Amino acid sequence: MDVVKPIIEEEITKKLDITRLSSNGLIDSFWIADFGCSTGLNSFLAMHVITEAIQNKFQSQRSIINAESPEFYVFFNDHVKNDFNTLFRSLPPERHYQAAGLPGSFHKRLLPKASLHFAYSSWALHWLSQVPNAVTDPTSQAWNKGNIYYGGARQEVCDAYSSQYAKDIESFLKARANELVSGGLMALLVPGFPIKFDYSGPFYKGQMVMDHIASILIDMAKKGRISEEKIDSFNFPTYYTFPEELKAIIERNGSYSIERMEIFDNPGKYAITTAHAHASVYRAVFEDLMTNHFGSEIVDEVFDSYRQKLEASSALLLPEKDKSIIIFVLLKRKLE
Amino acid sequence: MDVVKPIIEEEITKKLDITRLSSNGLIDSFWIADFGCSTGLNSFLAMHVITEAIQNKFQSQRSIINAESPEFYVFFNDHVKNDFNTLFRSLPPERHYQAAGLPGSFHKRLLPKASLHFAYSSWALHWLSQVPNAVTDPTSQAWNKGNIYYGGARQEVCDAYSSQYAKDIESFLKARANELVSGGLMALLVPGFPIKFDYSGPFYKGQMVMDHIASILIDMAKKGRISEEKIDSFNFPTYYTFPEELKAIIERNGSYSIERMEIFDNPGKYAITTAHAHASVYRAVFEDLMTNHFGSEIVDEVFDSYRQKLEASSALLLPEKDKSIIIFVLLKRKLE
């Protein structure tokens, strides 16, 4: 957020046409939504930056538009099992908005038509709505046997992941296009890689993580702790795009103009420096998925082994092994 | 809900003018809010009844209004510490609405101006926004020394409670009048008593509960477990109104027409038949308040003693000791 704060502020100042956000003239209430907010810690800062920039915009145009700043409503979205209790209890007391929780998949419609003025999503769109069906289907060319991710896998597997991603982003863009008012803005922070990888080697960090976890699971299958079929039917439902791919999906949707697109280094790669911290972070990411698929009893064992692997060979912890970037896109809902 | 279901259905059929809910003609999205929904168990049934009745209304008028049923949005409101996680995870899968959580006090504005079409609140408006200041102020005529409720207390204490109630209901009605569209409906289920009690004797169940708990606390103060000052500064923040009082507050507000007002027996009084169940219910109601005021360490002791008192003298468990009723009011936001 520190990196994109000046950009979001600049774009709101330049691109948000507050006189054209409502068909009836000026708006009383300004709606913002954060899609994939988790428990809110990063979201609260983003919502502060956005609401402050919009308030400044209203104040600077006060002589022209002759209206006070509107009331702000922020919809915090995440899936139904997200910890909204923690989110609500952590809301900053000094905030300038009424908060609402919006449970459900952001791949579907969540808000009324033409109600939303500013959409935001950070570090959430890499989550697929599901594991691509083909990769767990033994009759498919894209069956990802003995593997839990698309990195290092055959081209068919990579294509299945990339198709699912395109389908999901299309659903997201379509739902938001319905919800956004004409002229409404959408700021996306999407994790990805700078160029299209061929994914044929374990040369980036996310894939090394997956390779370690897959090999731990395979060892556990050899010991009879879990079945091989269970591993074959488990795949990790995220996908890291690259700028050209994301741009093509947005352009194909047709409802938005791309106002700005920038690439940033992923500051997360410098944040985790010990094997213990690394294992904790990935445990948090994997825990629900693994518990649902294999049962809770194997989770301790998997992440103890994972931490030991990292301690034995700590190359994974070097920031330069992590090639991930953040793609920042600012979109404007076209006027209809 | 079983009792008021036919009434709500009838009133929606007769009183909801779907052609006049929006200044621009017909509405795309129909907003409902439940104020004080708790974890939703009773709310889901109410929201089902309301949405179904409105859908039927739209379908029956289809030939006249030439429009499909709108999309439904239900805002579930309760205070910030409510368990929204349980609520979201219990949402009926077959529901016909998008759900949102709306954390915050219902004595304040929570939704945009003129956005709400149907407001609902059941068994929640007896909660005061705070203990009336005067009853814990040793310099006030209304100081409620050695007592934790207004029943059986001096007239000044009763007046302080009743004033706080009027102020809170006024705040609630004012906030909702802002949020409701002209012609929007509001259904309230408010606990109360059939007539104004003089509260001078422990002749109704709620007061007997409070008297038992007060005497347990006083015994604990004698043993030095808590201080007498702590008891004097603890009062229970609920108030049971009576129909004439509630009606007067609504009429004073002036924004609503009273379309219907009915009195029902409180079915809750027949539901709790054992000392154990009774102690559990009141523990759930009291626990947070007591923990915040006295600390968590006394709660077990208080409710163990409470259960023993009930077992020794079970008169409290007789339904006829409970004089409480439910006041059902259906209001319509006046056209402006």
Side-chain angles (χ1 to χ4, degrees):
Chain A
M1 199 62 210
D2 286 339
V3 182
V4 297
K5 182 175 184 281
I7 300 181
I8 288 183
E9 288 169 344
E10 186 191 328
E11 292 297 314
I12 286 174
T13 308
K14 287 202 306 203
K15 306 280 171 60
L16 188 72
D17 185 351
I18 55 177
T19 63
R20 295 185 67 175
L21 289 178
S22 160
S23 50
N24 322 333
L26 282 165
I27 46 172
D28 286 336
S29 65
F30 192 101
W31 287 27
I32 304 164
D34 182 1
F35 296 95
C37 62
S38 186
T39 54
L41 281 187
N42 296 310
S43 187
F44 299 146
L45 177 59
M47 294 307 111
H48 177 75
V49 168
I50 293 167
T51 50
E52 201 172 55
I54 297 167
Q55 274 180 323
N56 289 342
K57 175 99 188 192
F58 271 86
Q59 269 153 32
S60 71
Q61 302 222 323
R62 212 163 152 181
S63 57
I64 308 162
I65 59 171
N66 194 25
E68 297 295 314
S69 180
E71 293 174 346
F72 291 97
Y73 292 83
V74 175
F75 291 85
F76 292 95
N77 159 259
D78 213 312
H79 56 80
V80 153
K81 288 191 175 174
N82 183 50
D83 185 359
F84 283 97
N85 285 354
T86 296
L87 186 143
F88 288 159
R89 291 164 199 186
S90 322
L91 280 164
E94 298 297 302
R95 68 190 185 279
H96 298 288
Y97 53 83
Q98 169 65 41
L102 196 59
S105 162
F106 56 53
H107 295 111
K108 295 181 181 159
R109 269 281 305 287
L110 293 162
L111 289 165
K113 284 176 203 159
S115 63
L116 187 60
H117 303 99
F118 198 106
Y120 177 82
S121 181
S122 173
W123 212 260
L125 289 178
H126 59 306
W127 284 98
L128 301 176
S129 65
Q130 59 164 92
V131 171
N133 288 326
V135 306
T136 57
D137 174 2
T139 69
S140 162
Q141 289 290 315
W143 189 31
N144 199 17
K145 185 170 170 52
N147 212 341
I148 64 166
Y149 207 44
Y150 61 92
R154 284 168 301 107
Q155 190 61 44
E156 289 86 348
V157 176
C158 300
D159 291 347
Y161 265 85
S162 146
S163 296
Q164 183 68 47
Y165 184 76
K167 203 176 140 197
D168 286 341
I169 299 291
E170 279 159 16
S171 304
F172 177 87
L173 293 173
K174 194 178 160 201
R176 303 297 85 77
N178 245 309
E179 294 163 358
L180 278 162
V181 299
S182 292
L185 298 181
M186 175 147 74
L188 304 177
L189 289 157
V190 183
F193 292 112
I195 51 162
K196 181 173 189 168
F197 279 85
D198 67 1
Y199 301 113
S200 58
F203 49 78
Y204 71 99
K205 189 170 162 182
Q207 186 51 40
M208 288 191 280
V209 172
M210 298 297 170
D211 285 347
H212 275 336
I213 290 176
S215 78
I216 292 164
L217 292 171
I218 289 164
D219 286 348
M220 288 170 77
K222 282 179 190 152
K223 289 181 206 152
R225 300 266 294 114
I226 50 176
S227 75
E228 221 177 287
E229 290 71 31
K230 270 281 179 202
I231 303 175
D232 293 342
S233 58
F234 181 75
N235 273 254
F236 195 71
T238 63
Y239 178 81
Y240 276 52
T241 187
F242 54 98
E244 288 313 307
E245 183 181 44
L246 182 59
K247 199 176 165 202
I249 300 170
I250 295 167
E251 286 172 347
R252 207 157 59 232
N253 169 277
S255 302
Y256 305 91
S257 57
I258 300 178
E259 301 288 326
R260 191 152 176 170
M261 189 160 187
E262 293 200 19
I263 306 294
F264 295 101
D265 193 20
N266 170 13
K269 68 180 71 160
Y270 308 101
I272 304 165
T273 53
T274 70
H276 183 83
H278 202 275
S280 297
V281 166
Y282 278 91
R283 182 184 177 131
V285 170
F286 265 96
E287 183 144 16
D288 268 6
L289 290 167
M290 260 190 191
T291 301
N292 289 340
H293 191 83
F294 296 103
S296 59
E297 57 282 4
I298 74 151
V299 179
D300 280 344
E301 191 175 336
V302 169
F303 287 94
D304 281 347
S305 304
Y306 181 70
R307 184 179 41 74
Q308 286 161 22
K309 267 186 192 274
L310 283 193
E311 280 164 356
S313 154
S314 60
L316 200 54
L317 301 172
L318 298 171
E320 62 266 29
K321 292 282 177 189
D322 189 340
K323 306 297 183 202
S324 65
I325 56 162
I326 298 173
I327 309 171
F328 172 81
V329 202
L330 189 93
L331 304 177
K332 189 170 190 167
R333 179 74 175 92
K334 287 183 186 166
L335 300 173
E336 287 200 315
Chain B
M1 198 63 210
D2 285 340
V3 182
V4 296
K5 183 174 183 284
I7 301 181
I8 289 184
E9 287 169 344
E10 186 191 328
E11 292 297 313
I12 286 174
T13 308
K14 288 202 306 205
K15 306 282 171 60
L16 188 72
D17 185 352
I18 54 177
T19 63
R20 296 185 67 172
L21 290 178
S22 160
S23 51
N24 320 335
L26 282 164
I27 47 172
D28 285 337
S29 65
F30 192 102
W31 287 26
I32 303 164
D34 182 1
F35 297 95
C37 61
S38 186
T39 54
L41 281 187
N42 296 311
S43 187
F44 299 146
L45 177 60
M47 295 306 111
H48 176 74
V49 168
I50 293 167
T51 50
E52 200 172 55
I54 297 166
Q55 274 180 324
N56 289 341
K57 174 100 188 190
F58 270 86
Q59 269 154 32
S60 71
Q61 302 223 320
R62 212 161 151 182
S63 57
I64 308 162
I65 59 170
N66 193 26
E68 297 294 315
S69 180
E71 293 173 344
F72 291 97
Y73 292 83
V74 174
F75 291 85
F76 292 96
N77 159 260
D78 213 311
H79 58 80
V80 153
K81 289 192 174 173
N82 184 51
D83 185 359
F84 283 97
N85 284 354
T86 296
L87 187 144
F88 289 159
R89 290 164 199 186
S90 323
L91 281 164
E94 297 298 302
R95 69 190 183 279
H96 297 288
Y97 53 83
Q98 168 65 41
L102 196 58
S105 162
F106 56 52
H107 296 110
K108 295 181 181 156
R109 270 281 306 286
L110 292 161
L111 289 166
K113 283 175 201 158
S115 63
L116 187 60
H117 303 100
F118 198 106
Y120 177 83
S121 180
S122 174
W123 212 260
L125 288 178
H126 59 306
W127 284 99
L128 301 175
S129 66
Q130 60 164 92
V131 171
N133 288 326
V135 305
T136 57
D137 174 2
T139 70
S140 163
Q141 290 288 317
W143 188 30
N144 199 17
K145 185 169 170 52
N147 212 342
I148 64 166
Y149 206 46
Y150 61 92
R154 285 170 301 109
Q155 190 60 45
E156 289 87 348
V157 176
C158 300
D159 291 347
Y161 265 85
S162 145
S163 297
Q164 183 68 47
Y165 183 75
K167 204 175 139 198
D168 286 341
I169 299 292
E170 279 159 17
S171 303
F172 177 87
L173 293 173
K174 195 178 160 200
R176 302 297 85 77
N178 245 309
E179 294 162 358
L180 278 163
V181 300
S182 291
L185 298 181
M186 175 147 75
L188 305 178
L189 290 158
V190 183
F193 292 113
I195 51 161
K196 182 173 186 169
F197 280 85
D198 67 1
Y199 301 113
S200 58
F203 50 76
Y204 71 100
K205 189 170 163 183
Q207 185 53 38
M208 286 191 280
V209 172
M210 297 298 169
D211 285 346
H212 275 336
I213 290 175
S215 78
I216 291 163
L217 291 171
I218 289 165
D219 286 348
M220 289 172 78
K222 283 180 190 151
K223 289 182 206 152
R225 299 267 294 115
I226 49 175
S227 75
E228 221 176 286
E229 290 72 31
K230 270 282 180 198
I231 302 175
D232 293 342
S233 58
F234 182 75
N235 272 255
F236 196 70
T238 63
Y239 178 82
Y240 276 51
T241 187
F242 54 98
E244 288 313 309
E245 183 181 44
L246 183 60
K247 198 174 166 204
I249 301 171
I250 294 167
E251 286 172 348
R252 210 157 56 232
N253 168 278
S255 302
Y256 306 90
S257 57
I258 300 178
E259 301 288 325
R260 191 151 177 171
M261 188 159 187
E262 293 201 19
I263 307 293
F264 296 100
D265 193 21
N266 170 13
K269 68 180 72 162
Y270 308 100
I272 304 165
T273 54
T274 70
H276 184 82
H278 202 275
S280 297
V281 166
Y282 278 91
R283 183 183 176 131
V285 170
F286 264 97
E287 183 144 15
D288 268 6
L289 289 166
M290 259 190 192
T291 301
N292 288 341
H293 191 83
F294 295 102
S296 59
E297 58 282 4
I298 74 151
V299 179
D300 280 345
E301 192 175 333
V302 169
F303 287 94
D304 281 349
S305 304
Y306 182 69
R307 184 179 40 75
Q308 286 161 23
K309 267 185 191 273
L310 285 192
E311 280 164 355
S313 154
S314 59
L316 201 54
L317 301 171
L318 298 171
E320 61 267 29
K321 291 282 177 188
D322 190 339
K323 307 295 182 202
S324 66
I325 55 161
I326 299 173
I327 309 169
F328 172 80
V329 202
L330 190 93
L331 304 176
K332 189 169 190 168
R333 178 74 175 92
K334 287 183 185 165
L335 300 173
E336 287 201 315

